[in-house]
Amino acid sequence: MKKKFEQIIESIEQLITSNQLQQGERLPSIRVMAEKFMCNKSTIIRAYQELENDHKIYSIPKGGFYLVENHFPSRNLQEKIDFSEVMPEPKLLPYKEFNHCINRSVELYKDHLFTYGATQGLESLRKVLVTHFSEHQIFTSDEHICIASGAQQALNIVTKMSFPNQKKNILVEQPTYGLMQEMVIENGLNLIGIDRRDDGIDLNELETIFREEEIKFFYIIPRFHNPLGTSYSEKMKKSIVALAEKYDVYLIEDDYLADIDTNSKALPAHYYDVSQRTIYIKSFSKAFMPGIRIAAVVLPEKLVATFIKHKKYDDLNTSILAQGALEIFIKSGMYRNHVRKVQLAYRKKMDCLRDCVTRFPHIGIEITVPKTGFFAWMKLSRDLNVKQLIRQLKDREIYVSPANDYFINGAGEQNAIRLCIAKLTNEQIRLGMCAIFEEASKLLSK
């Protein structure tokens, strides 16, 4: 016999199927449902939580539960499966909740929407972010926070602006985020690479580079690295920060997926920095909503004025409407609720990928699957031609990213591919991985 909460879930799903409960409509209150089913409120809460975990409903704090709107009709899973696109799964995006915040933002900031705002960012948002950051062990003040129109703008600004150390060369991990490398080269600066492996970087090599190469800053992605998917150990982060202080080098910490980390012991490199050499950049795009185009930058005191001056050259201010809506979204508790959902969702996706890796024969393939995140890195043996594999997968409408995209100027032939599972359903992950192993096996058998 089904448990009571399961009966309640089944009853709600029947209402959805029969169109008695419309998309976007508010569900009956917990009290009403408890009276209807003659059970405790905790049973209704359990049923609603299960439905919320399955992304069939969502909650608005003090506003009730609502049926998720189906903006994205299902498609044939045999069609395009894209492991190259870095986007959240559409059903994880909090449309209804954020729409509520936008409407509220219009009411609160209507007097400011038609004027220029502060280049540094909305003061009330920066104050909210002080508390938000402290929950992630980033301790700062609102005077040291600047709002940028996405992490991309923030990275472009720090690349172009001068630093107190008066150095010119920029160090990046190899591989690393491709657009960051392109920006450095486009801005006419010298780019130097250091190998990053699954276990991190060679600290002796790092010290040699810091000592000999006049490094302005070292761009790092300590958590859920793009493209490797791996994370630095706490010991590694401490050592990098210590070496940066010793050799007068700044660190740019790109923490674009901070919110989906479930490891409470994982700390940002910024936490270990007592000499104010770390610029911490957090995007609110990847794990939340790509179109919002907001990033927060935590700057050492010496760099705040310079950053604001350069941001003014790019744009006078970031959208006040988007900033106000994000402020309300965080302040109301909606952001925390959203984070809990995406943490569970991305962990399940990575579990699915890990299960695929253990189930399929993969001679000639080495893949490390992290506990969560967006990315996994697949290394191929020399017997496997990566270009040929990519062509064969494309013929089946399965798309992956070649490793060369993440190395300085392509850096020769890299026999590896990046997999991004963020936007894919578990079924698409399984179908896509099956195809990858099938095509790899065909190449090995030739």
Side-chain angles (χ1 to χ4, degrees):
M1 184 177 176
K2 290 184 178 180
K3 295 179 180 178
K4 194 74 170 181
F5 81 91
E6 292 174 329
Q7 295 175 28
I8 296 166
I9 291 173
E10 191 174 84
S11 172
I12 292 172
E13 288 177 337
Q14 287 174 354
L15 290 175
I16 296 170
T17 304
S18 63
N19 288 323
Q20 294 181 59
L21 189 59
Q22 300 295 319
Q23 302 293 333
E25 190 175 337
R26 182 175 176 174
L27 274 68
S29 70
I30 291 170
R31 180 184 60 79
V32 167
M33 290 292 280
E35 291 174 357
K36 178 180 177 180
F37 286 92
M38 293 182 289
C39 62
N40 293 327
K41 291 181 180 178
S42 59
T43 305
I44 306 300
I45 292 171
R46 169 79 185 276
Y48 279 9
Q49 285 176 339
E50 291 289 329
L51 287 165
E52 195 169 9
N53 289 340
D54 287 338
H55 312 293
K56 293 177 180 176
I57 67 172
Y58 65 90
S59 61
I60 294 179
K62 300 180 180 179
F65 292 84
Y66 295 80
L67 187 62
V68 171
E69 293 190 45
N70 184 19
H71 291 275
F72 298 88
S74 60
R75 64 184 179 189
N76 186 344
L77 292 175
Q78 298 299 323
E79 295 178 358
K80 174 181 171 182
I81 296 176
D82 196 344
F83 283 102
S84 67
E85 191 172 11
V86 187
M87 290 280 286
E89 186 179 352
K91 73 177 184 180
L92 293 176
L93 302 179
Y95 299 101
K96 180 70 79 171
E97 302 100 310
F98 198 67
N99 185 56
H100 167 79
C101 295
I102 288 174
N103 292 336
R104 183 63 179 145
S105 177
V106 171
E107 294 174 16
L108 288 176
Y109 298 107
K110 57 181 178 290
D111 294 336
H112 305 282
L113 291 177
F114 304 102
T115 61
Y116 294 121
T119 303
Q120 187 171 359
L122 199 62
E123 183 180 7
S124 53
L125 171 60
R126 290 187 285 114
K127 288 183 181 299
V128 166
L129 286 174
V130 170
T131 302
H132 175 77
F133 279 136
S134 69
E135 295 171 359
H136 294 272
Q137 303 304 301
I138 301 284
F139 301 105
T140 187
S141 66
D142 63 286
E143 291 91 351
H144 290 177
I145 296 174
C146 289
I147 307 301
S149 302
Q152 197 73 22
Q153 184 189 55
L155 292 172
N156 194 38
I157 290 171
V158 297
T159 299
K160 292 187 291 188
M161 63 186 259
S162 61
F163 279 45
N165 61 14
Q166 298 300 309
K167 298 177 182 180
K168 301 296 183 184
N169 298 327
I170 292 174
L171 180 65
V172 295
E173 302 157 322
Q174 289 293 279
T176 195
Y177 177 44
L179 283 178
M180 178 59 183
Q181 298 178 140
E182 291 175 23
M183 275 192 298
V184 173
I185 294 169
E186 186 68 24
N187 286 322
L189 300 172
N190 188 37
L191 193 60
I192 298 170
I194 182 171
D195 289 342
R196 176 161 174 171
R197 307 175 300 268
D198 289 346
D199 60 347
I201 58 176
D202 184 330
L203 293 170
N204 291 326
E205 182 184 1
L206 181 66
E207 183 163 16
T208 300
I209 293 172
F210 278 180
R211 184 174 58 245
E212 298 178 357
E213 297 292 349
E214 289 293 307
I215 302 298
K216 172 184 174 180
F217 66 71
F218 180 22
Y219 170 70
I220 56 175
I221 311 175
R223 185 171 4 213
F224 307 132
H225 186 265
N226 179 6
L228 299 177
T230 56
S231 299
Y232 281 147
S233 67
E234 298 308 301
K235 183 178 179 181
M236 180 69 66
K237 283 180 272 191
K238 288 180 189 177
S239 299
I240 292 172
V241 169
L243 286 172
E245 180 179 4
K246 181 178 178 180
Y247 291 98
D248 191 18
V249 173
Y250 284 82
L251 299 175
I252 307 298
E253 181 175 14
D254 187 346
D255 206 8
Y256 73 112
L257 283 184
D259 288 320
I260 71 170
D261 197 353
T262 56
N263 179 8
S264 59
K265 294 182 180 179
L267 299 170
H270 185 280
Y271 176 82
Y272 299 109
D273 179 13
V274 295
S275 59
Q276 291 202 44
R277 291 183 178 277
T278 303
I279 298 172
Y280 179 86
I281 300 176
K282 177 177 178 178
S283 169
F284 289 91
S285 295
K286 291 294 185 288
F288 171 45
M289 190 173 283
I292 191 176
R293 304 311 301 148
I294 288 183
V297 187
V298 180
L299 293 149
E301 186 172 355
K302 289 181 180 180
L303 294 176
V304 174
T306 306
F307 186 94
I308 294 172
K309 180 181 75 173
H310 278 267
K311 185 179 187 299
K312 194 175 289 186
Y313 300 153
D314 278 14
D315 62 7
L316 290 174
N317 66 273
T318 300
S319 165
I320 295 173
L321 179 60
Q323 289 186 72
L326 179 61
E327 174 200 336
I328 294 164
F329 197 72
I330 294 172
K331 209 167 163 182
S332 66
M334 292 184 194
Y335 194 87
R336 188 176 288 109
N337 289 342
H338 171 72
V339 164
R340 283 197 289 264
K341 293 177 192 175
V342 298
Q343 283 178 341
L344 176 63
Y346 291 123
R347 194 192 71 214
K348 285 184 175 180
K349 288 174 188 287
M350 208 57 84
D351 287 344
C352 177
L353 179 62
R354 189 177 299 106
D355 181 63
C356 292
V357 171
T358 58
R359 286 175 180 270
F360 293 119
H362 47 281
I363 298 170
I365 293 176
E366 179 187 338
I367 178 169
T368 302
V369 182
K371 289 183 179 179
T372 187
F374 278 21
F375 304 112
W377 188 249
M378 180 179 284
K379 298 177 187 176
L380 309 178
S381 71
R382 292 182 180 179
D383 299 329
L384 280 169
N385 185 306
V386 67
K387 290 183 179 179
Q388 182 62 32
L389 177 60
I390 290 173
R391 279 195 295 269
Q392 290 179 199
L393 290 171
K394 188 176 180 180
D395 289 341
R396 296 178 62 167
E397 290 200 88
I398 293 167
Y399 301 88
V400 297
S401 300
N404 288 3
D405 292 350
Y406 309 99
F407 288 85
I408 298 172
N409 294 324
E413 296 298 320
Q414 303 292 334
N415 221 35
I417 57 177
R418 187 198 71 178
L419 301 174
C420 180
I421 50 86
K423 190 177 180 180
L424 303 179
T425 64
N426 286 358
E427 183 64 17
Q428 287 173 319
I429 292 170
R430 281 189 284 267
L431 288 169
M433 290 305 295
C434 180
I436 290 172
F437 289 124
E438 282 177 2
E439 295 305 322
S441 297
K442 289 178 186 177
L443 283 175
L444 285 172
S445 63
K446 286 182 179 179

